[in-house]
Amino acid sequence: MPDPDLAVSPLPARAARRLLARYRGSGADLPWGDPLRAHGVAMEGYFWRFTDPRTGRVLIALNGVNRAADGHWATLGLAAHPGGFLRTRVHPDAAAQPDGLGARAGEAFHGTVDALQVDLGPDARVDARLVDAVSWPRRSFGGSSVFQAVPALNQYWHPWLLGGRVHGTAVLGEQTWDLDGWTAYGEKNWGRGGFPDSWWWGQAQGFAEDGVCVAFAGGEVSAGPLRTTVTAVVVRLPDGRVLRLGDPVVSPVRAAVSDEHWSLRGRSARWSVDIDGRGDLGRAHVLPVPLPAERRNVPGAIEHLAGRMRVVVRHRGRTVWAGESLLAALEHGGIARARAEVLRRGGSPGDTDAAPEVRD
């Protein structure tokens, strides 16, 4: 018989659940965890992007579920190209789904894995269903890779929908758009304090090959004394394979970014991905980001809805795919930078967003 004094009792299930809840409450997920479920951090952001290469149209919708001392509120947004449509709003109530992907803000916004309803007024509405979803492959980590398991980072990122078809309509000002057959993309980002001080992001479909999807996200990542700059790149190739580069040791990505140019170079032992993005600053939207504890938005992101993105993917030095999209999202984030752009366009210090100067 073993010595009873040396026997180790298993951790009670209730205590283990509390420990896991505290871990997820920091924003982290264990390997093979589900990053789509709400974590309970200061900000859980949900983002949909619909693209139609036939007409050159793009539509985005966003919901940032934010936590303040007196409850949750939402940063809502709807924007489109061409035409420069933009509508944003602060909503006093919001909820993020704890058992799967979902975000709601009263009757103004409800998004799930297979549907999106937005009502920001009679001239700013979306009613869409998503079918034939191309989901993130089941892997040990999501878009943030190993950083997904690090507690209390200021930002995490996960592109959960890399393709699919849209059915529905959108009312944008005086126009009503038929969304049937458009291509869908969806992602989630979350963190303990909202957005980092500086970041860059991009996403594109609308390449010659229908199933291709490219996305990247980078910025200043911090947790306590840990501070570093990280960029992740995800590419879904025409044959369905999904590449992810951005682990700082085994597949680092170097990024050089401005308000009109994005240059990314990612390398691993076998793969390389080169991305070159360009956009005219006057054609970009300025979008809001939340200050969760203060229940208010501020200008935070300069985002091109229809920029140019050129991508080259190589395997062991041989080009396996190259393509270009003229409907790429390209974003350069930073509160000071975005506020200066609002003012440059003639806005006031209290403005939280700005439509493009050039309305294509």
Side-chain angles (χ1 to χ4, degrees), residues 191-202:
R192 57 177 170 78
F195 283 78
D197 294 335
S198 177
W199 70 93
W200 43 93
W201 171 86

Side-chain angles (χ1 to χ4, degrees), residues 164-356:
R165 294 299 172 191
V166 184
H167 293 283
T169 58
V171 179
L172 306 164
E174 298 180 353
Q175 298 187 38
T176 299
W177 288 2
D178 181 356
L179 304 178
D180 285 359
W182 288 35
T183 303
Y185 169 83
E187 70 175 44
K188 183 185 175 192
N189 66 304
W190 64 100
R192 57 177 170 78
F195 283 78
D197 294 335
S198 177
W199 70 93
W200 43 93
W201 171 86
Q203 192 276 325
Q205 287 155 306
F207 295 92
E209 299 85 355
D210 186 54
V212 172
C213 179
V214 178
F216 64 83
E220 299 174 1
V221 176
S222 63
L226 169 66
R227 287 190 175 274
T228 187
T229 299
V230 177
T231 301
V233 170
V234 172
V235 180
R236 184 177 190 266
L237 293 169
D239 62 8
R241 286 179 294 178
V242 176
L243 310 179
R244 187 208 174 278
L245 303 180
D247 294 330
V249 177
V250 299
S251 60
V253 176
R254 294 182 291 111
V257 178
S258 70
D259 292 339
E260 296 188 319
H261 187 207
W262 290 254
S263 178
L264 289 84
R265 303 289 181 263
R267 301 288 186 271
S268 70
R270 294 181 299 165
W271 293 94
S272 70
V273 177
D274 294 341
I275 298 175
D276 184 81
R278 297 181 182 273
D280 178 355
L281 179 59
R283 289 178 163 83
H285 290 68
V286 180
L287 301 179
V289 297
L291 299 180
E294 299 179 28
R295 278 189 172 264
R296 66 185 181 97
N297 294 330
V298 294
I302 298 171
E303 182 170 325
H304 303 258
L305 268 61
R308 179 188 298 267
M309 183 187 289
R310 173 74 177 171
V311 185
V312 180
V313 178
R314 298 181 179 89
H315 181 256
R316 299 190 185 279
R318 180 177 63 87
T319 299
V320 297
W321 176 76
E324 183 177 67
S325 172
L326 301 180
L327 298 175
L330 295 164
E331 180 173 293
H332 195 197
I335 293 174
R337 177 181 303 110
R339 179 179 286 115
E341 180 61 18
V342 169
L343 296 176
R344 188 190 71 81
R345 296 183 183 187
S348 68
D351 290 345
T352 62
D353 56 50

Side-chain angles (χ1 to χ4, degrees), residues 118-170:
V118 183
D119 185 355
L120 301 184
D123 60 345
R125 293 180 175 175
V126 176
D127 185 3
R129 294 181 296 109
L130 309 179
V131 299
D132 302 327
V134 179
S135 302
W136 177 262
R138 183 63 179 177
R139 297 183 177 182
S140 55
F141 293 108
S144 294
S145 189
V146 294
F147 287 95
Q148 177 182 321
V150 179
L153 291 181
N154 59 335
Q155 191 76 185
Y156 302 84
W157 176 70
H158 181 56
W160 61 271
L161 181 65
L162 303 180
R165 294 299 172 191
V166 184
H167 293 283
T169 58

